[in-house]
Amino acid sequence: MNNLEEFLNTSTGNWLAQTTVYNLSAKIHVSLKSELVAEVQPMSHTPESIQQIVKNNPSYCYLYIISSINTQINDNTKIYNYFMSSQEELTSRYTQGTFIRNYIHNDKSIFLKGRFFLPDKNSLIITISHDNQQIYEKHQLLSSNLQLYMNITKQFGHSIMTGFNSCIRTN
């Protein structure tokens, strides 16, 4: 088992999250509580659009994790995170590879593409570029029952939004 599989398997389960998002350009913040259900799914559940990427890159082996999110605002959001790596990237000193996120909300789907990097077995860093925005995320497993997550969104090189999450396992 590689570091990515270990990290994802440790992240699975039911979580209660406290989230605070700061919109720096509007100088406002929003705090909310969410229930997260995270699970690793087999490749057979992968949509055709992702399978096509893998077909075009036969050296990829990959996993993905699905998160169902119920918040105070809505209860109809799913996030699919796909982690794809060549065997060389998985066995390198630091596990890394291609990352694709699919947000689905009210039957609308948005795909974001980037890279992931595991500096150690308890941390995951994701970088995404979308249109003129760059997103940096860091997920930290502090224990089997506690996760911290932060992100920074930049537009034209300036920070426009940041978010902090603390998640406690409920199962």
Side-chain angles (χ1 to χ4, degrees), residues 4-70:
L4 177 60
E5 287 176 289
E6 290 176 26
F7 186 90
L8 294 178
N9 286 328
T10 304
S11 298
T12 61
N14 298 329
W15 299 86
L16 181 62
Q18 174 65 46
T19 304
T20 304
V21 178
Y22 297 92
N23 181 327
L24 302 174
S25 56
K27 297 181 181 174
I28 60 171
H29 73 277
V30 176
S31 293
L32 47 100
K33 293 180 183 170
S34 306
E35 294 176 10
L36 307 174
V37 179
E39 58 186 335
V40 175
Q41 296 285 327
M43 293 186 301
S44 60
H45 290 88
T46 307
E48 183 60 35
S49 56
I50 301 298
Q51 289 179 15
Q52 192 62 42
I53 293 170
V54 174
K55 286 178 190 173
N56 293 338
N57 298 284
S59 65
Y60 278 159
C61 52
Y62 71 107
L63 298 165
Y64 75 94
I65 190 166
I66 173 176
S67 299
S68 298
I69 302 174
N70 295 317

Side-chain angles (χ1 to χ4, degrees), residues 67-79:
S67 299
S68 298
I69 302 174
N70 295 317
T71 68
Q72 297 165 329
I73 298 171
N74 68 67
D75 62 357
N76 197 16
T77 301
K78 287 201 182 289
I79 299 173

Side-chain angles (χ1 to χ4, degrees), residues 74-93:
N74 68 67
D75 62 357
N76 197 16
T77 301
K78 287 201 182 289
I79 299 173
Y80 296 86
N81 290 325
Y82 300 90
F83 299 89
M84 296 176 272
S85 290
S86 67
Q87 192 59 40
E88 183 179 295
E89 288 175 316
L90 283 175
T91 57
S92 68
R93 182 172 175 198

Side-chain angles (χ1 to χ4, degrees), residues 102-117:
N102 182 12
Y103 282 104
I104 301 174
H105 179 70
N106 294 332
D107 296 326
K108 292 182 182 179
S109 185
I110 298 171
F111 284 92
L112 304 174
K113 187 174 181 183
R115 298 282 298 162
F116 74 88
F117 172 71

